[in-house]
Amino acid sequence: MKSLIIASVAASLLSMPLALAEESSTPTTKPTTHVTVGTDRVFVNTGLSNRCTALGRQFDRVKSLHTNDKNIAMALATRNEGADLCASQNEMAGTKYLESALRMLGVKPE
């Protein structure tokens, strides 16, 4: 009898995470929006787009503090490449370039 009760309790406990996972109301997709360009409708990942903007602004704020840094030329080139990638809707690569440019100056990306 004890083994039957233990087996029943174990089975119900093991099935609980699956039941909770089914009830999750958290969206699984990233926020997107669409923009009409000419006659084409383009979908933009607004999360990454906002990240591109934030990293670009952070770099612009700190670059004046690092004008004598030995890596400033490479960091500026990397930042410009990242900004171009973000502008051409390749936000994933653009954010990586922008983060790298900040790290070249010893700044932690926010």
Side-chain angles (χ1 to χ4, degrees):
M1 184 71 168
K2 283 185 178 181
S3 61
L4 180 61
I5 293 173
I6 293 172
S8 300
V9 170
S12 64
L13 289 175
L14 290 173
S15 66
M16 286 182 87
L18 295 175
L20 292 175
E22 290 175 6
E23 295 176 12
S24 176
S25 63
T26 306
T28 56
T29 58
K30 295 179 181 174
T32 57
T33 187
H34 68 273
V35 179
T36 304
V37 179
T39 58
D40 297 326
R41 188 176 223 184
V42 180
F43 289 91
V44 179
N45 184 330
T46 55
L48 285 175
S49 180
N50 290 341
R51 179 87 174 130
C52 280
T53 303
L55 290 170
R57 286 181 181 161
Q58 182 185 7
F59 187 91
D60 292 342
R61 280 194 318 267
V62 300
K63 74 178 176 185
S64 62
L65 303 174
H66 297 273
T67 54
N68 295 329
D69 195 301
K70 64 180 180 176
N71 295 326
I72 189 69
M74 181 62 83
L76 280 168
T78 304
R79 184 253 188 252
N80 291 338
E81 181 67 25
D84 290 345
L85 287 167
C86 287
S88 65
Q89 298 177 356
N90 191 353
E91 290 92 354
M92 183 66 75
T95 57
K96 290 183 188 297
Y97 272 75
L98 291 167
E99 288 170 351
S100 178
L102 286 164
R103 284 191 200 99
M104 286 179 191
L105 299 178
V107 176
K108 182 179 177 184
E110 294 175 349

PDB file of all heavy atoms in Angstrom, residues 20-38:
ATOM      1  N   LEU A  20       2.626  23.254 -15.442  1.00  0.00           N
ATOM      2  CA  LEU A  20       2.964  24.657 -15.256  1.00  0.00           C
ATOM      3  C   LEU A  20       3.506  25.270 -16.535  1.00  0.00           C
ATOM      4  O   LEU A  20       3.258  26.424 -16.831  1.00  0.00           O
ATOM      5  CB  LEU A  20       3.981  24.811 -14.121  1.00  0.00           C
ATOM      6  CG  LEU A  20       3.453  24.479 -12.724  1.00  0.00           C
ATOM      7  CD1 LEU A  20       4.595  24.557 -11.717  1.00  0.00           C
ATOM      8  CD2 LEU A  20       2.328  25.394 -12.335  1.00  0.00           C
ATOM      9  N   ALA A  21       4.268  24.484 -17.290  1.00  0.00           N
ATOM     10  CA  ALA A  21       4.835  24.994 -18.536  1.00  0.00           C
ATOM     11  C   ALA A  21       3.740  25.295 -19.546  1.00  0.00           C
ATOM     12  O   ALA A  21       3.839  26.243 -20.312  1.00  0.00           O
ATOM     13  CB  ALA A  21       5.827  23.988 -19.108  1.00  0.00           C
ATOM     14  N   GLU A  22       2.673  24.492 -19.554  1.00  0.00           N
ATOM     15  CA  GLU A  22       1.588  24.729 -20.491  1.00  0.00           C
ATOM     16  C   GLU A  22       0.830  26.007 -20.167  1.00  0.00           C
ATOM     17  O   GLU A  22       0.285  26.649 -21.037  1.00  0.00           O
ATOM     18  CB  GLU A  22       0.624  23.541 -20.462  1.00  0.00           C
ATOM     19  CG  GLU A  22       1.200  22.287 -21.068  1.00  0.00           C
ATOM     20  CD  GLU A  22       0.267  21.096 -20.901  1.00  0.00           C
ATOM     21  OE1 GLU A  22      -0.866  21.286 -20.409  1.00  0.00           O
ATOM     22  OE2 GLU A  22       0.680  19.995 -21.253  1.00  0.00           O
ATOM     23  N   GLU A  23       0.793  26.410 -18.888  1.00  0.00           N
ATOM     24  CA  GLU A  23       0.052  27.578 -18.475  1.00  0.00           C
ATOM     25  C   GLU A  23       0.848  28.867 -18.573  1.00  0.00           C
ATOM     26  O   GLU A  23       0.346  29.926 -18.285  1.00  0.00           O
ATOM     27  CB  GLU A  23      -0.429  27.395 -17.035  1.00  0.00           C
ATOM     28  CG  GLU A  23      -1.425  26.281 -16.869  1.00  0.00           C
ATOM     29  CD  GLU A  23      -1.808  26.079 -15.429  1.00  0.00           C
ATOM     30  OE1 GLU A  23      -1.476  26.939 -14.586  1.00  0.00           O
ATOM     31  OE2 GLU A  23      -2.444  25.058 -15.137  1.00  0.00           O
ATOM     32  N   SER A  24       2.102  28.786 -18.977  1.00  0.00           N
ATOM     33  CA  SER A  24       2.958  29.965 -19.015  1.00  0.00           C
ATOM     34  C   SER A  24       2.392  31.003 -19.964  1.00  0.00           C
ATOM     35  O   SER A  24       2.019  30.710 -21.089  1.00  0.00           O
ATOM     36  CB  SER A  24       4.369  29.565 -19.461  1.00  0.00           C
ATOM     37  OG  SER A  24       5.160  30.706 -19.589  1.00  0.00           O
ATOM     38  N   SER A  25       2.325  32.248 -19.502  1.00  0.00           N
ATOM     39  CA  SER A  25       1.808  33.319 -20.344  1.00  0.00           C
ATOM     40  C   SER A  25       2.930  34.172 -20.921  1.00  0.00           C
ATOM     41  O   SER A  25       2.681  35.186 -21.545  1.00  0.00           O
ATOM     42  CB  SER A  25       0.856  34.195 -19.531  1.00  0.00           C
ATOM     43  OG  SER A  25       1.569  34.807 -18.482  1.00  0.00           O
ATOM     44  N   THR A  26       4.192  33.779 -20.701  1.00  0.00           N
ATOM     45  CA  THR A  26       5.324  34.535 -21.205  1.00  0.00           C
ATOM     46  C   THR A  26       5.419  34.344 -22.713  1.00  0.00           C
ATOM     47  O   THR A  26       5.424  33.216 -23.197  1.00  0.00           O
ATOM     48  CB  THR A  26       6.630  34.050 -20.543  1.00  0.00           C
ATOM     49  OG1 THR A  26       6.465  34.112 -19.133  1.00  0.00           O
ATOM     50  CG2 THR A  26       7.810  34.891 -20.987  1.00  0.00           C
ATOM     51  N   PRO A  27       5.492  35.410 -23.470  1.00  0.00           N
ATOM     52  CA  PRO A  27       5.610  35.261 -24.920  1.00  0.00           C
ATOM     53  C   PRO A  27       6.953  34.651 -25.281  1.00  0.00           C
ATOM     54  O   PRO A  27       7.970  34.936 -24.659  1.00  0.00           O
ATOM     55  CB  PRO A  27       5.500  36.692 -25.452  1.00  0.00           C
ATOM     56  CG  PRO A  27       5.804  37.573 -24.292  1.00  0.00           C
ATOM     57  CD  PRO A  27       5.468  36.795 -23.060  1.00  0.00           C
ATOM     58  N   THR A  28       6.944  33.790 -26.288  1.00  0.00           N
ATOM     59  CA  THR A  28       8.172  33.126 -26.695  1.00  0.00           C
ATOM     60  C   THR A  28       8.852  33.839 -27.860  1.00  0.00           C
ATOM     61  O   THR A  28       9.952  33.477 -28.228  1.00  0.00           O
ATOM     62  CB  THR A  28       7.879  31.673 -27.113  1.00  0.00           C
ATOM     63  OG1 THR A  28       6.896  31.681 -28.151  1.00  0.00           O
ATOM     64  CG2 THR A  28       7.370  30.872 -25.930  1.00  0.00           C
ATOM     65  N   THR A  29       8.210  34.824 -28.438  1.00  0.00           N
ATOM     66  CA  THR A  29       8.821  35.539 -29.550  1.00  0.00           C
ATOM     67  C   THR A  29       9.329  36.887 -29.080  1.00  0.00           C
ATOM     68  O   THR A  29       8.848  37.446 -28.110  1.00  0.00           O
ATOM     69  CB  THR A  29       7.810  35.761 -30.696  1.00  0.00           C
ATOM     70  OG1 THR A  29       6.709  36.490 -30.175  1.00  0.00           O
ATOM     71  CG2 THR A  29       7.346  34.435 -31.260  1.00  0.00           C
ATOM     72  N   LYS A  30      10.299  37.394 -29.799  1.00  0.00           N
ATOM     73  CA  LYS A  30      10.854  38.699 -29.480  1.00  0.00           C
ATOM     74  C   LYS A  30       9.934  39.772 -30.046  1.00  0.00           C
ATOM     75  O   LYS A  30       9.255  39.549 -31.038  1.00  0.00           O
ATOM     76  CB  LYS A  30      12.252  38.825 -30.075  1.00  0.00           C
ATOM     77  CG  LYS A  30      13.224  37.848 -29.457  1.00  0.00           C
ATOM     78  CD  LYS A  30      14.575  37.979 -30.076  1.00  0.00           C
ATOM     79  CE  LYS A  30      15.511  36.955 -29.444  1.00  0.00           C
ATOM     80  NZ  LYS A  30      16.782  36.916 -30.075  1.00  0.00           N
ATOM     81  N   PRO A  31       9.917  40.943 -29.418  1.00  0.00           N
ATOM     82  CA  PRO A  31       9.035  41.999 -29.920  1.00  0.00           C
ATOM     83  C   PRO A  31       9.461  42.439 -31.316  1.00  0.00           C
ATOM     84  O   PRO A  31      10.636  42.666 -31.572  1.00  0.00           O
ATOM     85  CB  PRO A  31       9.213  43.125 -28.909  1.00  0.00           C
ATOM     86  CG  PRO A  31      10.470  42.828 -28.189  1.00  0.00           C
ATOM     87  CD  PRO A  31      10.688  41.353 -28.271  1.00  0.00           C
ATOM     88  N   THR A  32       8.506  42.503 -32.203  1.00  0.00           N
ATOM     89  CA  THR A  32       8.799  42.948 -33.563  1.00  0.00           C
ATOM     90  C   THR A  32       7.756  43.963 -33.977  1.00  0.00           C
ATOM     91  O   THR A  32       6.675  44.044 -33.414  1.00  0.00           O
ATOM     92  CB  THR A  32       8.768  41.779 -34.573  1.00  0.00           C
ATOM     93  OG1 THR A  32       7.493  41.158 -34.513  1.00  0.00           O
ATOM     94  CG2 THR A  32       9.849  40.770 -34.305  1.00  0.00           C
ATOM     95  N   THR A  33       8.120  44.717 -34.957  1.00  0.00           N
ATOM     96  CA  THR A  33       7.185  45.653 -35.539  1.00  0.00           C
ATOM     97  C   THR A  33       7.447  45.640 -37.038  1.00  0.00           C
ATOM     98  O   THR A  33       8.455  45.120 -37.488  1.00  0.00           O
ATOM     99  CB  THR A  33       7.365  47.065 -34.944  1.00  0.00           C
ATOM    100  OG1 THR A  33       6.319  47.890 -35.428  1.00  0.00           O
ATOM    101  CG2 THR A  33       8.698  47.677 -35.302  1.00  0.00           C
ATOM    102  N   HIS A  34       6.552  46.161 -37.809  1.00  0.00           N
ATOM    103  CA  HIS A  34       6.784  46.203 -39.249  1.00  0.00           C
ATOM    104  C   HIS A  34       6.857  47.642 -39.719  1.00  0.00           C
ATOM    105  O   HIS A  34       6.251  48.529 -39.154  1.00  0.00           O
ATOM    106  CB  HIS A  34       5.718  45.427 -40.017  1.00  0.00           C
ATOM    107  CG  HIS A  34       4.364  46.067 -39.964  1.00  0.00           C
ATOM    108  ND1 HIS A  34       3.475  45.818 -38.944  1.00  0.00           N
ATOM    109  CD2 HIS A  34       3.761  46.952 -40.782  1.00  0.00           C
ATOM    110  CE1 HIS A  34       2.380  46.514 -39.151  1.00  0.00           C
ATOM    111  NE2 HIS A  34       2.522  47.217 -40.242  1.00  0.00           N
ATOM    112  N   VAL A  35       7.646  47.804 -40.742  1.00  0.00           N
ATOM    113  CA  VAL A  35       7.845  49.108 -41.348  1.00  0.00           C
ATOM    114  C   VAL A  35       7.622  48.926 -42.840  1.00  0.00           C
ATOM    115  O   VAL A  35       8.085  47.951 -43.423  1.00  0.00           O
ATOM    116  CB  VAL A  35       9.288  49.618 -41.094  1.00  0.00           C
ATOM    117  CG1 VAL A  35       9.494  50.957 -41.753  1.00  0.00           C
ATOM    118  CG2 VAL A  35       9.572  49.685 -39.618  1.00  0.00           C
ATOM    119  N   THR A  36       6.900  49.823 -43.451  1.00  0.00           N
ATOM    120  CA  THR A  36       6.696  49.738 -44.889  1.00  0.00           C
ATOM    121  C   THR A  36       7.768  50.565 -45.587  1.00  0.00           C
ATOM    122  O   THR A  36       7.927  51.751 -45.317  1.00  0.00           O
ATOM    123  CB  THR A  36       5.298  50.246 -45.280  1.00  0.00           C
ATOM    124  OG1 THR A  36       4.337  49.490 -44.546  1.00  0.00           O
ATOM    125  CG2 THR A  36       5.057  50.097 -46.758  1.00  0.00           C
ATOM    126  N   VAL A  37       8.528  49.896 -46.452  1.00  0.00           N
ATOM    127  CA  VAL A  37       9.578  50.546 -47.222  1.00  0.00           C
ATOM    128  C   VAL A  37       9.187  50.415 -48.686  1.00  0.00           C
ATOM    129  O   VAL A  37       9.262  49.334 -49.262  1.00  0.00           O
ATOM    130  CB  VAL A  37      10.957  49.889 -46.960  1.00  0.00           C
ATOM    131  CG1 VAL A  37      12.028  50.567 -47.790  1.00  0.00           C
ATOM    132  CG2 VAL A  37      11.296  49.912 -45.482  1.00  0.00           C
ATOM    133  N   GLY A  38       8.758  51.517 -49.265  1.00  0.00           N
ATOM    134  CA  GLY A  38       8.252  51.452 -50.630  1.00  0.00           C
ATOM    135  C   GLY A  38       7.000  50.586 -50.643  1.00  0.00           C
ATOM    136  O   GLY A  38       6.027  50.873 -49.962  1.00  0.00           O
TER     137      GLY A  38
END
